[in-house]
């Protein structure tokens, strides 16, 4: 094999990159393919981070959800596998941190769980409704370009290509507006940067 001939692993990476680029342009089948083909890579990254075998599916699920949420940030000029590995690493570390704290505080008593009364969900529903109303108000107060990016890419979950077509804006402008809108919303809703 010559130095110019890609390995099987490189070919798989190039295939996933092409699928993700097609998915960003609205190709649903390519999106399904890239997600299905990503599971093995996510599992390998999580194992390298020290996630137990019985918890791998949780990390895979969280990683795929994150990929879905941030798929518009993937740059087709860069390797998909590196982008995915960075996300999977963060989700694995998040899992390990949360379960390390959880396991250190919790008593594992199945009978206690069964006998514990269910909490009243009415208070939780009211709180969620209030948070949703705060978010709607904060989105409504955004400048028009930012609000449009949030609505198209975040709330309606359109691809960059779809949002660009619907709004008449280029994808770069949509990305910038989305980034600025998310930063503004974070500051308004959580007081953070």
């Amino acid at each position: 094999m010559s130095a110019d001939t890609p390995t099987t692993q490189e070919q798989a990476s190039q295939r996933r990159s092409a699928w993700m680029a097609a998915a960003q342009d609205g190709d649903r089948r390519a999106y399904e393919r890239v997600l299905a083909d990503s599971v093995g890579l996510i599992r390998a990254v999580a194992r390298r981070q020290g996630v137990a075998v019985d918890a791998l599916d949780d990390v895979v699920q969280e990683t795929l959800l994150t990929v879905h949420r941030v798929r518009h940030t993937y740059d087709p000029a860069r390797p998909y596998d590196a982008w995915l590995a960075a996300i999977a690493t963060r989700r694995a570390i998040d899992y390990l941190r949360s379960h390390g704290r959880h396991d250190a505080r919790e008593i594992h008593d199945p009978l206690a769980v069964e006998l514990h009364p269910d909490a009243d969900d009415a208070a939780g529903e009211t709180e969620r409704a209030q948070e949703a109303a705060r978010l709607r108000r904060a989105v409504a107060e955004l400048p028009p370009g930012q609000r449009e990016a949030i609505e198209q890419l975040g709330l309606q979950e359109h691809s960059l290509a779809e949002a660009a077509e619907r709004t008449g804006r280029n994808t770069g402008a949509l990305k910038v507006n989305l980034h600025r809108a998310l930063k503004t919303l974070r500051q308004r809703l959580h007081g953070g940067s």
Side-chain angles (χ1 to χ4, degrees), residues 104-122:
R105 292 190 314 257
E106 293 296 316
I107 297 172
H108 301 283
D109 183 357
L111 185 57
V113 172
E114 287 179 29
L115 297 176
H116 189 273
D118 289 334
D120 182 21
D121 261 353

Side-chain angles (χ1 to χ4, degrees), residues 64-83:
L64 292 176
L65 287 170
T66 301
V67 165
H68 181 70
R69 261 192 324 274
V70 301
R71 66 191 181 275
H72 62 277
T73 67
Y74 171 67
D75 179 358
R78 298 189 172 261
Y80 172 79
D81 287 8
W83 180 78

Side-chain angles (χ1 to χ4, degrees), residues 148-149 153 160 163-164 167 169-179:
E148 190 173 54
L153 297 169
L160 267 174
T167 64
R169 296 182 188 270
N170 69 40
T171 58
L174 284 167
K175 284 183 181 181
V176 168
N177 281 328
L178 179 64
H179 173 75

Side-chain angles (χ1 to χ4, degrees), residues 82-130:
W83 180 78
L84 178 66
I87 294 170
T89 298
R90 288 192 296 269
R91 294 297 75 86
I93 291 170
D94 289 348
Y95 178 87
L96 292 169
R97 284 179 180 157
S98 70
H99 283 77
R101 287 191 301 264
H102 172 81
D103 291 346
R105 292 190 314 257
E106 293 296 316
I107 297 172
H108 301 283
D109 183 357
L111 185 57
V113 172
E114 287 179 29
L115 297 176
H116 189 273
D118 289 334
D120 182 21
D121 261 353
E125 287 180 31
T126 301
E127 186 176 324
R128 283 188 294 277
Q130 290 171 346

Side-chain angles (χ1 to χ4, degrees), residues 3-162:
D4 294 335
T5 306
T7 65
T8 305
Q9 188 174 4
E10 289 169 336
Q11 290 172 336
S13 177
Q14 291 169 353
R15 183 179 64 238
R16 285 188 286 269
S17 292
W19 284 340
M20 188 58 168
Q24 284 181 314
D25 288 333
D27 185 336
R28 197 172 293 260
R29 277 193 75 189
Y31 189 50
E32 291 169 2
R33 285 179 179 153
V34 74
L35 292 180
D37 205 47
S38 297
V39 171
L41 181 60
I42 296 167
R43 291 175 74 83
V45 168
R47 286 297 299 143
R48 280 195 303 271
Q49 291 298 320
V51 174
V53 174
D54 62 339
L56 289 175
D57 287 341
D58 292 339
V59 174
V60 168
Q61 181 177 2
E62 286 301 315
T63 302
L64 292 176
L65 287 170
T66 301
V67 165
H68 181 70
R69 261 192 324 274
V70 301
R71 66 191 181 275
H72 62 277
T73 67
Y74 171 67
D75 179 358
R78 298 189 172 261
Y80 172 79
D81 287 8
W83 180 78
L84 178 66
I87 294 170
T89 298
R90 288 192 296 269
R91 294 297 75 86
I93 291 170
D94 289 348
Y95 178 87
L96 292 169
R97 284 179 180 157
S98 70
H99 283 77
R101 287 191 301 264
H102 172 81
D103 291 346
R105 292 190 314 257
E106 293 296 316
I107 297 172
H108 301 283
D109 183 357
L111 185 57
V113 172
E114 287 179 29
L115 297 176
H116 189 273
D118 289 334
D120 182 21
D121 261 353
E125 287 180 31
T126 301
E127 186 176 324
R128 283 188 294 277
Q130 290 171 346
E131 286 297 314
R134 276 184 63 213
L135 178 60
R136 279 192 300 277
R137 283 192 303 272
V139 168
E141 293 170 359
L142 290 171
Q146 292 179 19
R147 183 174 55 246
E148 190 173 54
I150 284 287
E151 289 170 352
Q152 292 294 318
L153 297 169
L155 300 176
Q156 295 177 15
E157 296 186 353
H158 291 132
S159 70
L160 267 174
E162 291 170 331

